[in-house]
Amino acid sequence: MEASCPEGFPFMRFLSRGDRERVHEAVCHILDRIGMRVFHEEAVALLRKAGCRVEDGTRVHIPEAVLRAAMETVPRSIAVCDREGRSAMDLGGTRSYFGPGSDLLFTLDGATMERRRCRIEDVARAARVCDALPNIDFVMSFAHPTDVTPHHAYLRSFRAMVENSAKPVVTTAEDRADLHEMWAMAAEARGGEDALRRRPYILHYAEPTSPLKHPFSSVDKLLLCADKGIPLVYSPAPIAGSTAPMTIAGHVAQGVAECFCGLVIHQLRAPGAPFLMGMGPAVLDMATAQCSYNAPEYYLSYVSLVEMSHHYDIPNWGYAGTSDSQVPDGQAAVEAGVLTFISMMIGSNLNHDVGYLDFGRTGSLEMIVILDELIDQARRLKRGVPVDEEALALEAIAQVSEQGNFLEHPHTLRHFASTQWRPRLLNRQGFHAWEQKGGESLLDRAVQRVKRILETHEPDAVPPALALALEEKTSRFRAGEPV
């Protein structure tokens, strides 16, 4: 069943219905005729029992009937709450939400332009900034701490996010053990496993390996998510020209097929468990050997993936606010703004990587606050144009035709606040007013806002029982003691 688009909703589309059906046929061909390598015996057993053909112990051929059965049970929407149990996101349809990405190696200070390796404090700082911003809907780690023992990094990062933001958390994890402890902490926050399952607070991101391989750890985490009802993002990252075909249609077909192998395993394990389809549509620049986040071909593959998610009516994992630029400059603002606008206007659901620079290696808190404003602007556009008796303003037009202006008319006073979008960072002053106030750039204003947030914003306090659980589990994890 295809997700419908509300009448009057600003929308863009590149694939016709016939195009989408041909992509689907290619996906079915890849799954059934070519097959996938699945390196997890339990998952292979599930697939074999469902009627899939297995060769050499790991190559699995998934018939279209098995895929169709999984599509019938996967939820069409996923309601997500925050740490306190308040409704935060309703993933599905054409509803769009935004947040940062995860696991960046470097952070960039917008005031000094110093680029350095990430530390655990950077995870906490990013979570606190995201918590304060009204258009950032969820948090991810944003940084991979290099000052923490590697096997503890994911769990320590999760703790830092929980302590510094009440917003929903999208997790990454080294393995099933990591993820299980995150789930246990989230259950503590939500008042138990049943409450967490009914109103999920965390989501998990896992990915297979392109082309057409599903590692043990990825599938192991997928099975845990199915068992515990943790909403799962299963998103391959095939690189066009390297680990996927150069052509956009082939790139998308392979990515959807890889994702849907995970979907089938997930729904066989727990029919109705929450799942988001996705694909990281990286493009290998043949001139520089860099994987671009912002090439036009990336946009085309990404939009096509989202269109396929609407075709299947399955919630999707998306992208926003990224740039290939090394610093928060004009290129960064243009690229990040374009991708954010695209995500909003195509109705992509859970959009991450806000604040990414340098091909996904460096993060900028200043870019996050700039993007918070651009997301807000795009949301104003997505609200569209109301057309009713009050909005058409015929009575006001008739009255003002005699008076000469609308400035003091009651109709203007009733509507200016709700009609006009007001920026916080973007400059609307004339040149002389801007110059007299210091001639600050957009980046200058973003630096100041980050500074104010970190100095003054206090997220909702972590309840004492949760604080104790966070301390105990992170201190005992992988220390030879059961947790």
Side-chain angles (χ1 to χ4, degrees):
M1 182 174 66
E2 187 168 353
S4 61
C5 176
E7 184 179 357
F9 169 70
F11 214 64
M12 62 173 66
R13 176 167 286 166
F14 293 120
L15 299 179
S16 68
R17 175 177 286 275
D19 292 335
R20 298 194 298 275
E21 289 172 351
R22 290 193 68 186
V23 171
H24 174 70
E25 291 171 1
V27 169
C28 293
H29 180 95
I30 294 168
L31 288 170
D32 189 5
R33 302 288 295 278
I34 299 174
M36 298 275 169
R37 290 286 186 186
V38 180
F39 299 99
H40 194 292
E41 290 183 3
E42 195 172 354
V44 171
L46 279 172
L47 292 162
R48 181 184 283 112
K49 184 177 179 181
C52 300
R53 187 172 80 258
V54 180
E55 299 175 346
D56 303 327
T58 61
R59 183 173 290 281
V60 179
H61 299 266
I62 301 174
E64 184 176 1
V66 176
L67 173 60
R68 193 180 310 117
M71 288 182 174
E72 290 173 356
T73 61
V74 67
R76 305 305 170 190
S77 64
I78 304 170
V80 179
C81 69
D82 69 6
R83 194 185 67 202
E84 308 305 314
R86 298 168 296 212
S87 295
M89 299 186 289
D90 184 12
L91 304 172
T94 55
R95 297 175 293 277
S96 298
Y97 303 91
F98 298 85
S102 67
D103 304 321
L104 291 165
L105 295 178
F106 298 94
T107 186
L108 183 75
D109 186 321
T112 65
M113 289 298 166
E114 176 195 3
R115 181 177 183 258
R116 60 167 175 78
R117 291 274 182 178
C118 289
R119 302 188 287 262
I120 191 65
E121 69 183 65
D122 296 309
V123 180
R125 284 161 49 87
R128 188 172 292 260
V129 168
C130 289
D131 190 74
L133 297 173
N135 294 289
I136 301 299
D137 304 296
F138 64 91
V139 298
M140 293 185 77
S141 68
F142 204 58
H144 188 75
T146 57
D147 58 339
V148 174
T149 303
H151 293 306
H152 293 82
Y154 292 101
L155 200 61
R156 285 285 305 278
S157 294
F158 180 75
R159 175 181 173 181
M161 287 185 280
V162 173
E163 290 176 336
N164 287 276
S165 177
K167 293 182 178 181
V169 177
V170 179
T171 70
T172 53
E174 180 179 354
D175 55 24
R176 182 188 183 100
D178 261 350
L179 181 56
H180 184 274
E181 296 316 307
M182 296 175 194
W183 166 81
M185 293 181 195
E188 180 72 38
R190 294 296 310 111
E193 178 178 352
D194 289 342
L196 180 63
R197 186 183 291 270
R198 288 193 306 271
R199 295 177 65 79
Y201 155 54
I202 64 170
L203 305 91
H204 181 65
Y205 172 87
E207 60 182 42
T209 301
S210 299
L212 312 183
K213 298 177 182 65
H214 301 264
F216 177 87
S217 179
S218 298
V219 177
D220 215 30
K221 291 182 286 186
L222 176 152
L223 293 174
L224 179 64
C225 288
D227 291 341
K228 302 299 186 184
I230 303 169
L232 172 69
V233 176
Y234 196 69
S235 178
I239 304 171
S242 173
T243 59
M246 175 64 75
T247 54
I248 292 164
H251 192 193
V252 173
Q254 179 183 309
V256 173
E258 291 169 337
C259 173
F260 278 0
C261 179
L263 170 67
V264 169
I265 298 168
H266 188 260
Q267 294 299 298
L268 287 174
R269 180 70 161 215
F275 183 96
L276 292 93
M277 65 176 287
M279 166 187 165
V283 174
L284 182 65
D285 188 322
M286 295 300 180
T288 64
Q290 294 285 353
C291 286
S292 174
Y293 272 65
N294 295 91
E297 300 78 23
Y298 177 102
Y299 296 157
L300 288 166
S301 295
Y302 168 50
V303 172
S304 299
L305 180 280
V306 177
E307 290 185 36
M308 293 306 298
S309 78
H310 293 156
H311 182 76
Y312 298 120
D313 197 12
I314 298 174
N316 84 278
W317 178 242
Y319 296 80
T322 72
S323 174
D324 295 339
S325 178
Q326 286 67 46
V327 295
D329 57 7
Q331 176 184 336
V334 168
E335 290 179 339
V338 167
L339 181 56
T340 301
F341 178 81
I342 287 173
S343 291
M344 186 73 76
M345 294 306 156
I346 62 176
S348 180
N349 300 142
L350 190 64
N351 303 293
H352 77 307
D353 288 355
V354 171
Y356 268 26
L357 296 171
D358 190 30
F359 311 99
R361 288 190 289 258
T362 302
S364 164
L365 296 182
E366 290 76 21
M367 282 298 295
I368 293 181
V369 301
I370 291 170
L371 266 296
D372 177 77
E373 181 133 311
L374 298 184
I375 293 166
D376 195 44
Q377 188 180 58
R379 283 179 164 155
R380 172 62 187 92
L381 291 170
K382 192 172 180 178
R383 293 209 322 259
V385 180
V387 180
D388 55 23
E389 185 175 351
E390 176 69 10
L392 288 169
L394 296 179
E395 183 178 349
I397 293 170
Q399 293 170 354
V400 172
S401 66
E402 300 298 327
Q403 299 169 2
N405 75 80
F406 288 85
L407 189 59
E408 296 180 350
H409 193 278
H411 188 273
T412 302
L413 300 177
R414 285 198 303 272
H415 290 283
F416 83 90
S418 60
T419 300
Q420 285 196 346
W421 176 81
R422 306 301 303 165
R424 296 184 60 170
L425 291 179
L426 299 179
N427 175 37
R428 286 186 175 178
Q429 299 171 319
F431 181 86
H432 294 297
W434 168 77
E435 187 178 45
Q436 288 172 2
K437 291 186 177 181
E440 294 175 333
S441 68
L442 175 61
L443 180 56
D444 292 332
R445 295 188 289 275
V447 168
Q448 292 170 12
R449 190 170 188 203
V450 169
K451 185 174 184 291
R452 284 195 301 272
I453 290 172
L454 293 174
E455 289 176 348
T456 64
H457 178 70
E458 291 295 335
D460 292 344
V462 174
L466 176 58
L468 180 61
L470 292 171
E471 172 62 31
E472 288 182 347
K473 288 187 177 295
T474 52
S475 63
R476 293 161 55 188
F477 183 65
R478 300 194 196 277
E481 184 177 352
V483 292

